[in-house]
Amino acid sequence: LPASSTLHARGFACLLYRKGWGCEQLRSDTFCALSGGPDNSCLGESKTLCSKDLEMAKIAWKYFENNYNPETGLYNAADKYKSTTMWDTGSALAATIAAKDFDLIDDKTFDDHIQAMFKTLTKMELFNKQVPNKAYNTEKGEMVDYRNQPSPDGIGSSALDLARMISWLNTLGCMHPKYAYPAKKVIERWDLKGLIKDGQMNGLYRDPVSKEVKLVQEGRLGYEQYAGKIFRELGYDQHISSTYNNEFREKIDIYGVPIAYDRRDPRDLGAYNYVVTESYVMDAIENGIDDENRPLLENIYKVQKRRWEETGIVTAVSEDNIDQKPYFLYNTIFTAGLPWNTTTDKGVRYDNLKTTSTKAALALALLFPDDPYSKELAYAVGTAYDPDRGWYSGIYESGGGYNKAITANTNGIIMSMLLYKKHGEFYPSCKQCKRGMKLETSKTKTCDVCATE
Amino acid sequence: MSAPLNKRLLLSLASGGLLFTPVAAHEPPTPLLQTLEKLACAADARTAQQKLDTLFNISPPGQDWPDEWLGKQPDHASLYAGTLDIALQTLLTTAKRFPELRETSERVALQWNYCDVLDDQQFYDLSLQRSELKKVLADNDVPLKWQGFRQWGFLTPDPPDRFVPRLLDEIRLAPSAYHLFLHQVYRQHCFPHPETGMLVSEAEAPRDTVEGHTFPLLVEENAQPQPYPFEWNPVCTAPKPAVATQTQTAQIVEQLPPQTGLKTQTAATVVATHSEKKAAKKTLLVQPVTNRQRVVTPVIPAPSQSPPVVEEVAATPVVPASPTNAPPFSIPPQEGENGAKGNQGKALTSAKREEGQVVLPAIVPIAAGGDIPMYIEEEESATQQAHSTTGIIDRKKKKLRLAGSFADTLSLKDGSNGLSASATWSPKPNWFISGNTSFKDGKVGYSWSVGYADNKPGGWSAQVNNWGPLKPGDGLALDKAVVNIGKKINSETLAKHKLAASSNLSIPVKGKPGLSGTLQWNPKPNWYARTTASLPLEGGKPNWNYAFGYSNPKPGKWRVEYSNYGKNNFPGDNLKDGAITVSRGWQF
């Protein structure tokens, strides 16, 4: 420091002294020591990432560098596409936390990004003045529809999306406690009570024909439990949605492996009961692995390994953007009565466009590092990236080359997987550290609870 | 306000019989038909919007099909399949006439349930009496011969341009919400699938969800189909009927299929595969059809049979139609097309073209084969979508915005043959840089143009041209360039007569300025005739030139033109001095 700065520092210190703090506390390295970040030792001992891990993280972070919008602090959900959801913003927040943790960005960049995002989150218009709209324009921060067209009234809201955002706001506040309060304020701004009923989650949408806002149960076995546990941790009643052992659980044997699925059939109720890798992986790394989800996760791994053994196809399925029509596919282990069903939102099958999902393959490999199949998975997708744009979404099973769609979700999950590798399961660690977010009881009462009181 | 009931139908109901008693003569239209007629005749979008608004929430309690009585007689609700056919056709026509009402038209159609009307490949008339839903096989001899159902994709084969509601086709909602919306429309309301065009009964094994009648259901299995009792001859009193729309309507009537095309049920499949498109999969069940001639006599209901008046009866009086082969109904001019309010500047961008319309450039070339190929703007794709948990679905593929053409010109005057190639780059709509190279009599020549060309009615153009032919080594030869300022005339009268006109001020860098006017006539789609009269502003004789031919403006299509771009004296012609040009254009 220049001499004048030292004097100022000393003067500041002596002011403190006059208040009884004592000049003797002054140290020459004051801000060097004080600005070093929070003491996260309570989170447990962190593991060291290998050089390959960091190389993978750098590729993933490239996506977020390219798709950051400083005006709003929001990241594009897909490469150069100026739209996002709360789900994707959760993925982007995970990536930002990881980038800071891996020293891919410095404190200043990290804070600038987080502050800009908070500014948007605390001011953005809410659907029905209640909860975040399903989609926002990442440049303007305005509510849009799914075509990224302005939608002043909004199109609806997804409880699952909000859960993912809440999960990473929780982790942000946990790993960077200075953001715990603003993160909580962001969530308290949302009126979540309407979305939680009878121990389940609900979504909102505006019916395109009647224009009425409809409240509908949201979530099927898999994603439902991932999100239900997050709301439960926040203090909401999720006695159905937060457990895999609920009344809707059904079982089907695929390659002799028992796979749990939701018996609420999409052909009866409309909502799809996709069984994919992603929800189980995210549940594991964010909510933690326990006796309930461990066998399910193992079977998700096992059945894909069995398919590889039977067919020679390296299998890691999930929902993914693809780089050709129909542009988005649910590549599932099971859905709508069919195993290995690859389908669109319109329920049309595209078996010829099955892909090995990059995020699914890397996540499974990371969770089961000792299984020989994991080496196959990591090897299969290890080069599926553009060093200047990020990780591709996958590789076409039938030899169609890379699926060059590049998204926040794929790259965010890769970043969060590496963060998990370093620090372990996030919710359990944060609870252990007494840094888990809880809302006030009055804010988490649902209408059914009110009725019984 | 409850509408008075049709007396004959009331009598039928009072006698305890079925609603669908045999009728020999045409009944006065029901309130639903009256509303549809007014919608078909709406002269402007505002009126059409009002009529569309009255078509919401007109189902009887517990049902989702439209009631002939607009839901105002809940104890005697009924629906003829033929009326629903008319409704679908009218909604489609409305969506096309007033693009801004497309979404509302779609909403009207998507609110209804078609499961009982088109069930197991048969059309049924419905009635709700004493809390009992009755279905009676519908007569196939209905006014529009199921054209409405066919256009929306209910029947096989699908028309090539099956009308798919954007509200259903585009994923505007969150996917989880879209799944529920699609489920309701496709599975619960038996509407064709937006992608495959198939009905749920064809694509999937029967499931309980298509059932769910809230009332006891009685299907009259053995009942004979009852004749459709109403006429559909909307006779509109619009002051300026749109010729194009009349033609379109006439074509629809001409194209009525010889049979209904009802389809047999295919083996149930769980989910349609992409390749299993409807047109390739369905088979036809040929039904006997009576080739009843359409009645074109005026609809003047007898006082004793006055139908219930919906509203504004006086506002759209029914007038006698031509007693001879007049089109069955005429439709008022489309907004934008004839200068009506509300759609100006929306219907066509500068380079977007209506089907078959040969766009007259404001600045007409001065030599055969010298046309500047203009980049045609593509229709806005509304398919760009984001997705839950990830991002895009569709992104417009970036175009090079290059247009080009090759031409072969045969001179009738000296028998010489010339080849030319043109290329235009349009960095933004209407802005362009163009070059042309030619080869004639063993000599290579070229020309160039640059500037702005807004070729829609009322649009301005400003260009610098060197029409050439320049020789290699001449460079841009700016001293021989010409500044042209053109203006397309915006005239309802001209448009009504399929005419287009433009004026052009020509200012050579070195030389005398001139003024010209061009008139083009499009008697039939893709056919045109054009003449230009020019007047030197600083002395000299006026002259004229002309061209006619066939041109399909779509990329990759052909153009054949006779032209005489010489400075022909007034009056007189010299056909033998002209040239024939055959050209073909592309764009990337």
Side-chain angles (χ1 to χ4, degrees), chain A residues 298 301-302 305-306 308-309 364-378:
Chain A
E298 287 174 352
Y301 183 88
K302 206 179 290 178
K305 179 182 175 183
R306 287 285 296 129
W308 167 68
E309 289 169 345
L364 289 173
L366 195 64
L367 285 169
F368 297 91
D370 299 328
D371 193 298
Y373 182 52
S374 292
K375 191 169 183 181
E376 297 291 336
L377 289 167

Side-chain angles (χ1 to χ4, degrees), chain A residues 112-130:
Chain A
D112 286 354
H113 283 217
I114 297 295
Q115 295 288 3
M117 184 185 283
F118 269 124
K119 188 176 177 184
T120 296
L121 289 172
T122 52
K123 287 186 175 177
M124 67 188 189
E125 204 167 345
L126 302 177
F127 177 76
N128 242 11
K129 300 192 184 305
Q130 192 179 349

Side-chain angles (χ1 to χ4, degrees), chain A residues 77-81 83 85 87-88 134 145-147 149 155 161 205-211 214 216 218 265-272 274 278 319 321 325-328 330 336 338 341 344-350 359 407 409, chain B residues 56 103 106-108 110-111 167-185 187-188 193-196 204 207-209 270-274 277 382-395:
Chain A
D79 200 22
K80 296 185 177 65
Y81 185 69
S83 175
T85 64
W87 182 280
D88 296 300
K134 174 67 191 181
D145 68 12
Y146 238 51
R147 303 163 303 162
Q149 298 300 308
I155 56 171
D161 285 18
Y205 78 95
R206 191 180 300 281
D207 186 281
V209 172
S210 68
K211 301 284 186 187
K214 294 191 172 178
V216 290
E218 188 181 5
D265 196 291
R267 291 162 295 176
D268 293 331
L269 297 168
Y272 279 89
Y274 308 116
E278 188 169 326
E319 54 179 272
N321 282 59
K325 283 186 176 176
Y327 299 107
F328 195 93
Y330 299 90
L338 291 175
N341 188 355
T344 65
D345 283 306
K346 292 175 181 170
V348 179
R349 291 181 67 182
Y350 281 84
K359 65 187 173 194
T407 67
N409 200 40
Chain B
F56 285 101
E103 190 173 312
E106 291 179 0
R107 287 175 56 215
V108 171
L110 290 173
Q111 71 178 320
L167 280 177
L168 195 59
D169 194 34
E170 298 172 358
I171 301 177
R172 301 181 183 184
L173 301 168
S176 56
Y178 175 81
H179 300 156
L180 300 176
F181 176 55
L182 178 63
H183 177 71
Q184 176 185 311
V185 173
R187 289 201 179 86
Q188 297 180 321
H193 191 280
E195 186 167 333
T196 66
E204 296 180 7
R207 300 184 72 83
D208 294 339
T209 50
V270 177
V271 185
T273 61
H274 185 55
K277 291 295 185 184
T383 56
Q384 194 175 41
Q385 297 164 355
H387 196 281
S388 73
T389 74
T390 40
I392 54 164
I393 283 195
D394 203 353
R395 184 183 295 156

